[in-house]
Amino acid sequence: MDSIQIENWQTLINSFGTRYRQIEQPLYLKKNLWGYLQVGRSLSDLDRHLTVLRLILLIGWLATVLLVVWSSWWLAGLAMQPVYRSYQQMQQFTADAAHEFRTPLAAIQSTVEAILTLHGQLEGSEIGYKLAVLKRQSKRLSQLVGDLLLLARIDGRLAGQFSSCCLNDLLSDIIEELAFVAVEAHVTLVMQPQPQEPLHVKGNEEQLYRMISNLIVNAIQATPSRGKVALLLTYNEREALIQIQDTGVGIAPEEQIQIFNRFYRVQQDRSRRTGGSGLGLPIADAIASVHRGSISVQSQLGQSSTFTVRLPLEN
């Protein structure tokens, strides 16, 4: 009898969908074909075992992936704990230091003002000039300390002070408040027509006021004389959009990604001249983040800049 060839194996499926493995072998006697031998076996039990094996492998793979993800998350959290504690300590130190600096700075400023007030004859003298410089620098340092203290305090705890805020009224108040700043800088400050319906957001009105006023003041400082700064309020289905457009010096593309970093100043000479500390935009960005919003910038160097604030609408 000849040996069995592998190509003689066949896999058949009956009308019920059951698979069979079958072999058909011809039988020869003295080189004469005298019949066939057919042997078959159902593959149902093997298919069941393969299905169970695939299911076990799938469950095992999913369990392994979940275990790896959980272990990675746990280890990452464990590794980040010292960093988080260091950040908290640094934040607490900044807040404590800024708070402690406020009292002596206020004392220095009030003392200088008292001396200049009581001794009017010092005006125009060398001593008067030095006292005026001291007064100006102490005021600038007090503002810097206040900004650092505000940055240290802006975190999730601010959310507990949220209430319903009407952006229409808020922007109108800001335009009225900063009109004199624009006049002194010989810049036209206008507000585009507002939506007729009031737009409300959930937030801290004082901090929202600080955020928008910081952006407008920056725009005024960046705009040359006889320029224009426009405030525009629009909205979509989910967000309120506040745009501050200026006709200023613009921001280079490589600087646009850095302007929200603390103490970073575009055009260092202009910033020093106007007294900027490089904290106005970081404060505005931090306030926007606390309110689940964002600030973006589009600018063309030497032409204009547009800062867009996005805030989720209430309800």
Side-chain angles (χ1 to χ4, degrees):
M1 182 179 296
D2 296 336
S3 60
I4 298 176
Q5 302 297 322
I6 190 64
E7 54 266 17
N8 292 334
W9 287 95
Q10 294 179 326
T11 301
L12 305 176
I13 302 177
N14 63 12
S15 58
F16 298 101
T18 305
R19 298 194 313 137
Y20 290 88
R21 190 68 169 166
Q22 176 180 294
I23 184 173
E24 181 179 292
Q25 184 66 29
L27 303 176
Y28 293 91
L29 183 61
K30 295 182 179 181
K31 298 183 179 181
N32 294 322
L33 180 64
W34 64 275
Y36 292 90
L37 174 65
Q38 288 184 337
V39 178
R41 183 181 185 279
S42 173
L43 299 179
S44 298
D45 55 345
L46 181 60
D47 288 340
R48 285 195 301 270
H49 290 313
L50 288 175
T51 301
V52 172
L53 180 60
R54 291 192 188 99
L55 183 60
I56 292 174
L57 291 176
L58 178 61
I59 294 175
W61 178 79
L62 290 175
T64 302
V65 170
L66 292 176
L67 181 61
V68 169
V69 171
W70 179 83
S71 301
S72 302
W73 176 81
W74 182 75
L75 290 174
L78 194 64
M80 287 298 294
Q81 283 184 3
V83 179
Y84 180 68
R85 284 196 297 268
S86 299
Y87 173 77
Q88 284 186 318
Q89 292 173 357
M90 182 175 62
Q91 189 179 38
Q92 185 63 39
F93 171 77
T94 303
D96 294 341
H99 181 73
E100 293 299 326
F101 284 155
R102 297 181 72 176
T103 301
L105 285 173
I108 293 173
Q109 189 172 356
S110 60
T111 302
V112 172
E113 290 178 351
I115 293 175
L116 290 175
T117 302
L118 294 175
H119 303 280
Q121 64 274 19
L122 294 177
E123 186 176 354
S125 65
E126 184 178 356
I127 297 179
Y129 172 75
K130 291 181 179 179
L131 287 174
V133 172
L134 181 60
K135 176 183 177 182
R136 186 169 60 251
Q137 293 302 324
S138 63
K139 182 178 180 181
R140 180 180 178 186
L141 189 55
S142 297
Q143 182 180 359
L144 175 60
V145 169
D147 290 343
L148 286 173
L149 188 60
L150 177 61
L151 278 174
R153 289 177 174 176
I154 293 179
D155 54 20
R157 290 173 296 178
L158 190 64
Q161 307 171 16
F162 282 3
S163 60
S164 181
C165 303
C166 179
L167 291 180
N168 309 65
D169 297 338
L170 183 65
L171 296 185
S172 298
D173 292 342
I174 292 175
I175 288 293
E176 183 178 352
E177 183 73 20
L178 296 180
F180 78 98
V181 179
V183 170
E184 289 183 350
H186 304 287
V187 172
T188 302
L189 178 61
V190 298
M191 182 167 185
Q192 303 294 345
Q194 296 189 27
Q196 294 183 354
E197 61 274 19
L199 300 181
H200 289 85
V201 297
K202 202 76 172 177
N204 184 289
E205 186 171 351
E206 180 181 351
Q207 299 304 331
L208 290 175
Y209 188 100
R210 178 70 178 269
M211 174 185 66
I212 301 170
S213 61
N214 277 4
L215 293 174
I216 295 178
V217 169
N218 280 351
I220 293 175
Q221 292 177 351
T223 302
S225 179
R226 299 182 181 178
K228 179 181 178 181
V229 175
L231 185 62
L232 177 64
L233 175 62
T234 57
Y235 68 99
N236 54 35
E237 293 181 356
R238 298 181 179 180
E239 298 173 319
L241 282 75
I242 305 169
Q243 292 183 311
I244 297 93
Q245 304 170 345
D246 64 58
T247 57
V249 295
I251 306 172
E254 62 273 11
E255 292 185 314
Q256 293 180 21
I257 59 176
Q258 303 182 62
I259 58 176
F260 293 103
N261 295 337
R262 297 182 181 183
F263 300 107
Y264 183 83
R265 296 184 292 188
V266 180
Q267 294 183 318
Q268 301 289 334
D269 55 342
R270 180 182 64 81
S271 296
R272 290 191 177 92
R273 187 170 62 251
T274 56
S277 62
L279 289 177
L281 289 179
I283 288 175
D285 186 55
I287 294 174
S289 297
V290 171
H291 288 78
R292 296 182 291 112
S294 64
I295 302 178
S296 59
V297 58
Q298 292 181 340
S299 181
Q300 294 182 349
L301 190 61
Q303 295 186 21
S304 64
S305 299
T306 300
F307 284 84
T308 302
V309 180
R310 299 177 180 272
L311 296 172
L313 289 170
E314 189 176 7
N315 300 327

Short mmCIF file of all heavy atoms in Angstrom, two decimals, residues 178-189 213-225 227-229 244-246 248 270 274:
data_model
loop_
_atom_site.label_atom_id
_atom_site.label_comp_id
_atom_site.label_asym_id
_atom_site.label_seq_id
_atom_site.Cartn_x
_atom_site.Cartn_y
_atom_site.Cartn_z
N LEU A 178 -10.64 101.86 31.50
CA LEU A 178 -9.34 101.98 30.84
C LEU A 178 -9.31 103.06 29.77
O LEU A 178 -8.32 103.20 29.07
CB LEU A 178 -8.93 100.65 30.23
CG LEU A 178 -8.70 99.49 31.20
CD1 LEU A 178 -8.29 98.23 30.45
CD2 LEU A 178 -7.64 99.85 32.23
N ALA A 179 -10.38 103.82 29.65
CA ALA A 179 -10.42 104.87 28.63
C ALA A 179 -9.31 105.89 28.84
O ALA A 179 -8.66 106.34 27.89
CB ALA A 179 -11.79 105.54 28.62
N PHE A 180 -9.05 106.25 30.12
CA PHE A 180 -8.03 107.26 30.39
C PHE A 180 -6.63 106.74 30.06
O PHE A 180 -5.75 107.51 29.67
CB PHE A 180 -8.11 107.71 31.84
CG PHE A 180 -7.49 106.76 32.82
CD1 PHE A 180 -6.21 106.96 33.28
CD2 PHE A 180 -8.19 105.65 33.26
CE1 PHE A 180 -5.63 106.08 34.18
CE2 PHE A 180 -7.62 104.77 34.16
CZ PHE A 180 -6.33 104.98 34.63
N VAL A 181 -6.41 105.42 30.24
CA VAL A 181 -5.11 104.84 29.89
C VAL A 181 -4.86 104.97 28.40
O VAL A 181 -3.75 105.32 27.95
CB VAL A 181 -5.05 103.36 30.33
CG1 VAL A 181 -3.70 102.73 29.94
CG2 VAL A 181 -5.27 103.23 31.83
N ALA A 182 -5.91 104.72 27.61
CA ALA A 182 -5.77 104.85 26.16
C ALA A 182 -5.56 106.30 25.75
O ALA A 182 -4.76 106.59 24.84
CB ALA A 182 -7.02 104.27 25.47
N VAL A 183 -6.25 107.22 26.42
CA VAL A 183 -6.09 108.64 26.09
C VAL A 183 -4.67 109.10 26.36
O VAL A 183 -4.05 109.81 25.56
CB VAL A 183 -7.11 109.49 26.88
CG1 VAL A 183 -6.80 110.97 26.73
CG2 VAL A 183 -8.52 109.18 26.41
N GLU A 184 -4.11 108.68 27.50
CA GLU A 184 -2.74 109.06 27.83
C GLU A 184 -1.75 108.50 26.83
O GLU A 184 -0.71 109.12 26.56
CB GLU A 184 -2.40 108.57 29.24
CG GLU A 184 -3.11 109.33 30.35
CD GLU A 184 -2.67 108.85 31.72
OE1 GLU A 184 -1.98 107.82 31.79
OE2 GLU A 184 -3.02 109.52 32.71
N ALA A 185 -2.04 107.32 26.29
CA ALA A 185 -1.14 106.71 25.30
C ALA A 185 -1.46 107.15 23.88
O ALA A 185 -0.81 106.68 22.94
CB ALA A 185 -1.23 105.19 25.39
N HIS A 186 -2.44 108.04 23.71
CA HIS A 186 -2.87 108.53 22.39
C HIS A 186 -3.29 107.35 21.49
O HIS A 186 -2.93 107.28 20.32
CB HIS A 186 -1.75 109.33 21.71
CG HIS A 186 -1.26 110.47 22.54
ND1 HIS A 186 -2.00 111.63 22.73
CD2 HIS A 186 -0.12 110.64 23.27
CE1 HIS A 186 -1.33 112.47 23.51
NE2 HIS A 186 -0.19 111.88 23.86
N VAL A 187 -4.06 106.43 22.08
CA VAL A 187 -4.56 105.26 21.37
C VAL A 187 -6.08 105.27 21.46
O VAL A 187 -6.66 105.58 22.51
CB VAL A 187 -4.00 103.95 21.99
CG1 VAL A 187 -4.67 102.73 21.37
CG2 VAL A 187 -2.49 103.88 21.79
N THR A 188 -6.73 104.93 20.36
CA THR A 188 -8.20 104.86 20.33
C THR A 188 -8.65 103.50 20.85
O THR A 188 -8.26 102.46 20.30
CB THR A 188 -8.72 105.07 18.91
OG1 THR A 188 -8.27 106.34 18.42
CG2 THR A 188 -10.24 105.03 18.88
N LEU A 189 -9.44 103.51 21.91
CA LEU A 189 -9.97 102.27 22.49
C LEU A 189 -11.47 102.22 22.22
O LEU A 189 -12.22 103.08 22.67
CB LEU A 189 -9.70 102.24 23.99
CG LEU A 189 -10.24 101.02 24.76
CD1 LEU A 189 -9.64 99.73 24.25
CD2 LEU A 189 -9.97 101.18 26.26
N SER A 213 -8.57 93.11 31.52
CA SER A 213 -7.88 94.39 31.60
C SER A 213 -6.39 94.24 31.35
O SER A 213 -5.77 95.11 30.73
CB SER A 213 -8.14 95.03 32.97
OG SER A 213 -7.65 94.20 34.01
N ASN A 214 -5.78 93.12 31.80
CA ASN A 214 -4.37 92.88 31.51
C ASN A 214 -4.13 92.80 30.00
O ASN A 214 -3.15 93.37 29.48
CB ASN A 214 -3.92 91.58 32.16
CG ASN A 214 -3.55 91.75 33.62
OD1 ASN A 214 -3.71 92.83 34.18
ND2 ASN A 214 -3.07 90.70 34.25
N LEU A 215 -5.01 92.10 29.30
CA LEU A 215 -4.85 91.96 27.85
C LEU A 215 -5.02 93.30 27.15
O LEU A 215 -4.29 93.62 26.20
CB LEU A 215 -5.87 90.95 27.32
CG LEU A 215 -5.67 89.50 27.77
CD1 LEU A 215 -6.83 88.62 27.29
CD2 LEU A 215 -4.36 88.93 27.26
N ILE A 216 -5.98 94.11 27.61
CA ILE A 216 -6.21 95.42 26.96
C ILE A 216 -5.04 96.36 27.24
O ILE A 216 -4.57 97.07 26.34
CB ILE A 216 -7.53 96.02 27.45
CG1 ILE A 216 -8.71 95.15 26.98
CG2 ILE A 216 -7.68 97.44 26.93
CD1 ILE A 216 -10.06 95.64 27.46
N VAL A 217 -4.55 96.37 28.47
CA VAL A 217 -3.41 97.23 28.80
C VAL A 217 -2.18 96.83 27.99
O VAL A 217 -1.45 97.69 27.47
CB VAL A 217 -3.12 97.17 30.32
CG1 VAL A 217 -1.78 97.84 30.64
CG2 VAL A 217 -4.23 97.82 31.10
N ASN A 218 -1.94 95.53 27.85
CA ASN A 218 -0.82 95.07 27.02
C ASN A 218 -1.00 95.54 25.58
O ASN A 218 -0.03 95.93 24.92
CB ASN A 218 -0.72 93.55 27.07
CG ASN A 218 -0.03 93.06 28.32
OD1 ASN A 218 0.53 93.84 29.08
ND2 ASN A 218 -0.06 91.77 28.54
N ALA A 219 -2.23 95.47 25.07
CA ALA A 219 -2.49 95.89 23.69
C ALA A 219 -2.24 97.39 23.53
O ALA A 219 -1.68 97.84 22.52
CB ALA A 219 -3.92 95.54 23.30
N ILE A 220 -2.66 98.18 24.53
CA ILE A 220 -2.43 99.63 24.47
C ILE A 220 -0.94 99.94 24.49
O ILE A 220 -0.44 100.78 23.73
CB ILE A 220 -3.15 100.33 25.64
CG1 ILE A 220 -4.67 100.21 25.47
CG2 ILE A 220 -2.75 101.79 25.73
CD1 ILE A 220 -5.47 100.76 26.64
N GLN A 221 -0.19 99.24 25.35
CA GLN A 221 1.25 99.48 25.44
C GLN A 221 1.98 99.06 24.17
O GLN A 221 3.02 99.64 23.83
CB GLN A 221 1.82 98.73 26.65
CG GLN A 221 1.35 99.28 27.99
CD GLN A 221 1.88 98.48 29.15
OE1 GLN A 221 2.46 97.41 28.97
NE2 GLN A 221 1.67 98.98 30.36
N ALA A 222 1.45 98.06 23.46
CA ALA A 222 2.10 97.59 22.24
C ALA A 222 1.69 98.39 21.01
O ALA A 222 2.24 98.18 19.93
CB ALA A 222 1.77 96.11 22.02
N THR A 223 0.72 99.29 21.16
CA THR A 223 0.21 100.05 20.02
C THR A 223 0.84 101.44 19.99
O THR A 223 0.82 102.15 21.00
CB THR A 223 -1.32 100.19 20.11
OG1 THR A 223 -1.90 98.87 20.16
CG2 THR A 223 -1.88 100.91 18.90
N PRO A 224 1.40 101.83 18.87
CA PRO A 224 2.01 103.16 18.79
C PRO A 224 0.94 104.26 18.83
O PRO A 224 -0.26 104.00 18.72
CB PRO A 224 2.74 103.14 17.45
CG PRO A 224 2.03 102.10 16.65
CD PRO A 224 1.57 101.06 17.63
N SER A 225 1.41 105.50 18.98
CA SER A 225 0.51 106.65 19.04
C SER A 225 -0.37 106.70 17.80
O SER A 225 0.05 106.37 16.69
CB SER A 225 1.33 107.93 19.17
OG SER A 225 0.49 109.06 19.22
N GLY A 227 -2.74 104.78 17.19
CA GLY A 227 -3.20 103.44 16.84
C GLY A 227 -4.58 103.16 17.40
O GLY A 227 -5.25 104.04 17.95
N LYS A 228 -5.00 101.90 17.31
CA LYS A 228 -6.37 101.54 17.70
C LYS A 228 -6.37 100.18 18.38
O LYS A 228 -5.69 99.25 17.94
CB LYS A 228 -7.27 101.52 16.46
CG LYS A 228 -8.72 101.13 16.76
CD LYS A 228 -9.55 101.12 15.47
CE LYS A 228 -10.98 100.69 15.73
NZ LYS A 228 -11.78 100.67 14.47
N VAL A 229 -7.15 100.08 19.43
CA VAL A 229 -7.39 98.82 20.13
C VAL A 229 -8.89 98.59 20.17
O VAL A 229 -9.64 99.46 20.61
CB VAL A 229 -6.81 98.82 21.55
CG1 VAL A 229 -7.19 97.54 22.29
CG2 VAL A 229 -5.30 98.98 21.51
N ILE A 244 -9.35 90.84 21.59
CA ILE A 244 -8.69 92.13 21.75
C ILE A 244 -7.77 92.31 20.55
O ILE A 244 -6.77 91.61 20.42
CB ILE A 244 -7.90 92.21 23.08
CG1 ILE A 244 -8.84 92.10 24.27
CG2 ILE A 244 -7.11 93.52 23.14
CD1 ILE A 244 -9.04 90.71 24.79
N GLN A 245 -8.13 93.24 19.67
CA GLN A 245 -7.39 93.47 18.43
C GLN A 245 -6.68 94.82 18.53
O GLN A 245 -7.27 95.81 18.93
CB GLN A 245 -8.34 93.46 17.23
CG GLN A 245 -9.16 92.18 17.11
CD GLN A 245 -10.25 92.29 16.07
OE1 GLN A 245 -10.58 93.39 15.63
NE2 GLN A 245 -10.81 91.16 15.68
N ASP A 246 -5.40 94.83 18.14
CA ASP A 246 -4.65 96.09 18.16
C ASP A 246 -3.94 96.28 16.82
O ASP A 246 -3.84 95.36 16.02
CB ASP A 246 -3.63 96.12 19.31
CG ASP A 246 -2.55 95.06 19.17
OD1 ASP A 246 -1.84 95.05 18.15
OD2 ASP A 246 -2.41 94.23 20.09
N GLY A 248 -0.76 97.26 16.70
CA GLY A 248 0.54 97.49 17.30
C GLY A 248 1.70 96.89 16.51
O GLY A 248 1.61 96.65 15.29
N ARG A 270 11.14 98.11 25.44
CA ARG A 270 9.81 98.71 25.60
C ARG A 270 9.18 98.28 26.92
O ARG A 270 8.53 99.06 27.60
CB ARG A 270 8.91 98.32 24.43
CG ARG A 270 7.51 98.91 24.53
CD ARG A 270 6.65 98.45 23.37
NE ARG A 270 6.45 97.02 23.41
CZ ARG A 270 5.57 96.41 24.17
NH1 ARG A 270 4.83 97.10 25.01
NH2 ARG A 270 5.44 95.10 24.14
N THR A 274 7.91 100.80 29.93
CA THR A 274 6.52 100.89 30.37
C THR A 274 6.30 100.24 31.73
O THR A 274 5.17 100.22 32.23
CB THR A 274 5.60 100.20 29.34
OG1 THR A 274 6.04 98.85 29.15
CG2 THR A 274 5.64 100.92 28.01
#
